[in-house]
Amino acid sequence: MLLLLHRAVVPALRQACRLKPNPSRLCIQACSTNESFQSQHPSLNFSGDNSSSGGWRIMGALLGLGTALAYHDHRCRASQESPPLYTKEEVYSHRSPETGIWVTLGSEVFDVTEFVGLHPGGPSKLMLAAGGPLEPFWALYAVHNQPHVRELLAQYKIGELNPEENVPPTLETSDPYADDPMRHPALKVNSQCPFNAEPPPELLTENYITPNPIFFTRNHLPVPNLDPDTYRLHIVGPPGGQSLSLSLGDLYKFPKHEVTVTLQCAGNRRSEMTRVKEVKGLEWRTGAISTARWAGARLCDVLAQAGHQLSETEAHVCFEGLDSDPTGTAYGASIPLARAMDPEAEVLLAYEMNGQPLPRDHGFPVRVVVPGVVGARHVKWLGRVSVEPEESCSHWQRRDYKGFSPSVDWDTVDFDSAPSIQELPIQSAITEPQDGETIEPGEITVKGYAWSGGGRAVIRVDVSLDGGLTWHAADLDGEEQPPRKAWAWRLWQLQTSVPAGQKELNIVCKAVDDSYNVQPDTVAPIWNLRGVLSNAWHRVHVHITP
């Protein structure tokens, strides 16, 4: 009988414990080597036990184990031969703790619900990828693309993406936005057509230089798809001068200049004005601002080659983009000639962003970068530059991006009565913690950004945990900048103790620049019908775990 059992069980054990070329995590654990099997079960030893009862116990144990392993081997084979298939829609539906948190990498699907709380970068960072691909986030943070990270992720694999979904998208030529570029999934979209989006706060101040894929995007029209080989920038010359038609190669011949510049949309933080009274415009939160290292030819050098020089009378440099609406109307804007011709103002015809050619969403192949000035004047996809006695006649120069009294409404507004926005006022905002977040008692770290227009340096950021009753000075991070040329933001943080016994905190920040301009404390007195220039104290309310 023992021999018969031996003959029945041993082949099953051999079959069950035969290693597969690519075993799953569970198969590896169950179908281990004989050595590990014996070390885990030292009592199952044939030598030294010749009794009949001992043999029966051993054979019984082997029979049960062999049956279990054979059954598990069958399940392993089935799972390897035909892994569960999921659609992208199914993956997208799992993006909360209640539904489970799924992500993809390549064609593989992973359930990372249990790992979210263990993520070294914090749960909020991983949750940005919930329901979608990991690749765009791993591209931002290359530390993820390591063998040990992939091994860790493999433990959470649950299946594959349905290959039938990998069908190339078709281009609908009737849709003017059909040829828009792909965007990073972390961006918080405020409008799809035209595309306008901002990075989430927890990523915005992760780096001093904003990575290109999550730099905030402000488009007014469809994104043109321009050929760099045939691209030409037209510079209209003055009377008696010469007009220029510059290729990218021609621009490269001018001295290359680099400068770190923060761009901010005039509507940044507009959502806070909407809470006071309805305004017209995109609901930007705190992310319509980003910082990059730009490179290109100085505008003053190019204008000088065309024969332009400073004028004794007021003059403006007008920019026209190659983006246009169905009527052929292009985006346009202008800046004073005095700023354009000043080498210290460092106005660029930029063709690089953070060491790379401009992305399409950010003006490829050439855009204007005007340090210290509102983003609306940084015209993208630049096609034409001219010097005129008056500012640009563009709608976006004459009938938009202007501030008015809170008493002015759409029935009484006179756009000609207000100057176009150029330099922006002092600004700051909190990026961590988030409004409504629950934090642990003890220490708290508050992070954010601060910036002022016109090259005015941020000299201080004050933070309050009690709504403005008491204040702490935050530590300023980032590059030191020359006087009157502080073109980029300062990141800041405050580490302090949570007052004992507190159940909630009303966190406030305000910044001061080197002209001692300071942010107003409330939104209502600066409300305006377009919701621009929103720079009141920024406030977040957080709860404290009991």
Side-chain angles (χ1 to χ4, degrees):
M1 180 64 70
L2 285 174
L3 181 61
L4 292 174
L5 284 171
H6 183 269
R7 288 174 177 174
V9 170
V10 171
L13 282 172
R14 288 174 178 168
Q15 174 72 13
C17 295
R18 186 177 296 121
L19 295 178
K20 306 296 186 289
N22 292 296
S24 70
R25 174 172 62 104
L26 195 54
C27 290
I28 291 174
Q29 292 176 345
C31 303
S32 186
T33 63
N34 288 334
E35 288 79 3
S36 64
F37 174 81
Q38 290 177 359
S39 66
Q40 292 174 27
H41 302 279
S43 62
L44 302 182
N45 192 333
F46 286 99
S47 62
D49 188 353
N50 295 320
S51 69
S52 175
S53 60
W56 279 108
R57 287 196 300 270
I58 293 171
M59 283 296 101
L62 287 173
L63 180 61
L65 180 62
T67 304
L69 289 176
Y71 173 72
H72 180 65
D73 178 69
H74 171 74
R75 293 191 64 183
C76 287
R77 283 173 175 271
S79 66
Q80 289 171 10
E81 291 171 1
S82 55
L85 298 180
Y86 301 101
T87 65
K88 292 179 181 178
E89 184 177 354
E90 286 178 296
V91 174
Y92 183 73
S93 68
H94 291 79
R95 57 187 194 279
S96 70
E98 291 74 27
T99 61
I101 299 161
W102 293 9
V103 295
T104 66
L105 185 67
S107 62
E108 298 178 296
V109 180
F110 306 88
D111 182 348
V112 296
T113 309
E114 296 178 0
F115 180 68
V116 170
L118 305 175
H119 186 243
S124 64
K125 303 292 196 308
L126 182 54
M127 285 299 293
L128 292 170
L134 287 172
E135 285 90 343
F137 299 92
W138 282 22
L140 286 178
Y141 304 105
V143 68
H144 289 92
N145 200 18
Q146 303 290 334
H148 72 279
V149 178
R150 288 183 174 272
E151 290 173 10
L152 176 64
L153 182 63
Q155 300 178 38
Y156 298 95
K157 181 174 177 178
I158 58 172
E160 302 271 343
L161 282 174
N162 191 330
E164 296 180 1
E165 288 209 326
N166 294 327
V167 179
T170 58
L171 182 65
E172 299 291 339
T173 55
S174 60
D175 180 2
Y177 295 96
D179 195 31
D180 269 18
M182 297 290 292
R183 278 87 181 208
H184 197 284
L187 292 171
K188 304 297 184 183
V189 179
N190 290 321
S191 77
Q192 196 68 50
C193 300
F195 187 78
N196 291 280
E198 60 189 293
E202 56 266 42
L203 292 186
L204 182 57
T205 53
E206 191 82 0
N207 299 286
Y208 178 70
I209 298 295
T210 311
N212 290 357
I214 60 168
F215 198 99
F216 90 94
T217 300
R218 176 64 174 111
N219 294 336
H220 297 82
L221 300 163
V223 176
N225 197 355
L226 304 174
D227 183 349
D229 295 330
T230 59
Y231 170 79
R232 294 295 182 273
L233 172 59
H234 300 285
I235 311 292
V236 179
Q242 59 173 338
S243 293
L244 306 176
S245 180
L246 304 175
S247 66
L248 270 179
D250 295 329
L251 275 176
Y252 296 157
K253 295 175 184 177
F254 287 88
K256 185 178 182 179
H257 192 73
E258 296 188 44
V259 61
T260 303
V261 176
T262 294
L263 268 63
Q264 181 181 207
C265 179
N268 191 31
R269 299 179 57 195
R270 178 181 282 129
S271 59
E272 295 166 50
M273 284 196 172
T274 302
R275 296 174 203 155
V276 174
K277 185 180 176 182
E278 185 178 358
V279 300
K280 288 188 178 181
L282 297 170
E283 284 289 288
W284 296 107
R285 293 169 289 276
T286 57
I289 183 171
S290 299
T291 299
R293 182 75 176 171
W294 309 90
R298 292 191 304 183
L299 178 60
C300 61
D301 294 339
V302 176
L303 290 177
Q305 181 161 315
H308 288 289
Q309 55 187 343
L310 281 174
S311 173
E312 295 182 358
T313 59
E314 184 180 16
H316 304 262
V317 179
C318 299
F319 308 113
E320 188 174 291
L322 292 171
D323 51 334
S324 60
D325 65 16
T327 70
T329 301
Y331 184 85
S334 61
I335 62 173
L337 177 63
R339 183 182 290 273
M341 294 297 296
D342 183 2
E344 294 298 305
E346 301 185 277
V347 182
L348 295 185
L349 301 177
Y351 46 74
E352 286 184 6
M353 180 180 181
N354 294 331
Q356 301 175 353
L358 295 175
R360 281 185 61 204
D361 258 332
H362 299 290
F364 180 82
V366 177
R367 73 172 300 164
V368 183
V369 172
V370 192
V373 167
V374 66
R377 313 304 168 213
H378 299 235
V379 176
K380 299 188 281 190
W381 314 290
L382 189 63
R384 186 176 187 272
V385 179
S386 63
V387 178
E388 309 290 348
E390 295 184 352
E391 66 179 355
S392 171
C393 293
S394 166
H395 163 84
W396 293 279
Q397 187 80 24
R398 299 289 185 99
R399 293 291 179 269
D400 202 353
Y401 299 119
K402 295 185 176 184
F404 296 93
S405 165
S407 63
V408 174
D409 59 27
W410 288 100
D411 294 325
T412 61
V413 64
D414 176 10
F415 277 96
D416 292 329
S417 66
S420 301
I421 298 171
Q422 293 284 342
E423 297 178 1
L424 286 169
I426 181 71
Q427 174 71 281
S428 73
I430 300 163
T431 56
E432 293 185 41
Q434 300 294 299
D435 189 45
E437 188 175 333
T438 299
I439 64 171
E440 297 292 328
E443 293 289 316
I444 182 174
T445 299
V446 186
K447 296 182 179 180
Y449 64 78
W451 182 77
S452 191
R456 292 178 290 274
V458 172
I459 61 170
R460 196 178 77 239
V461 174
D462 299 323
V463 181
S464 174
L465 303 183
D466 54 17
L469 297 177
T470 60
W471 297 90
H472 309 264
D475 295 323
L476 300 180
D477 300 323
E479 297 178 359
E480 292 290 336
Q481 301 172 76
R484 300 176 301 282
K485 294 176 67 174
W487 307 131
W489 61 13
R490 299 298 299 270
L491 303 184
W492 56 264
Q493 66 174 332
L494 172 72
Q495 290 183 302
T496 189
S497 299
V498 175
Q502 292 289 102
K503 297 182 179 179
E504 58 185 25
L505 299 177
N506 292 309
I507 308 175
V508 179
C509 74
K510 62 181 176 71
V512 183
D513 68 22
D514 60 11
S515 294
Y516 286 98
N517 297 308
V518 66
Q519 296 170 253
D521 59 346
T522 55
V523 174
I526 59 172
W527 182 94
N528 58 87
L529 76 172
R530 277 291 282 118
V532 294
L533 308 171
S534 181
N535 72 325
W537 296 356
H538 189 228
R539 305 167 185 268
V540 300
H541 180 259
V542 300
H543 306 279
I544 301 171
T545 303

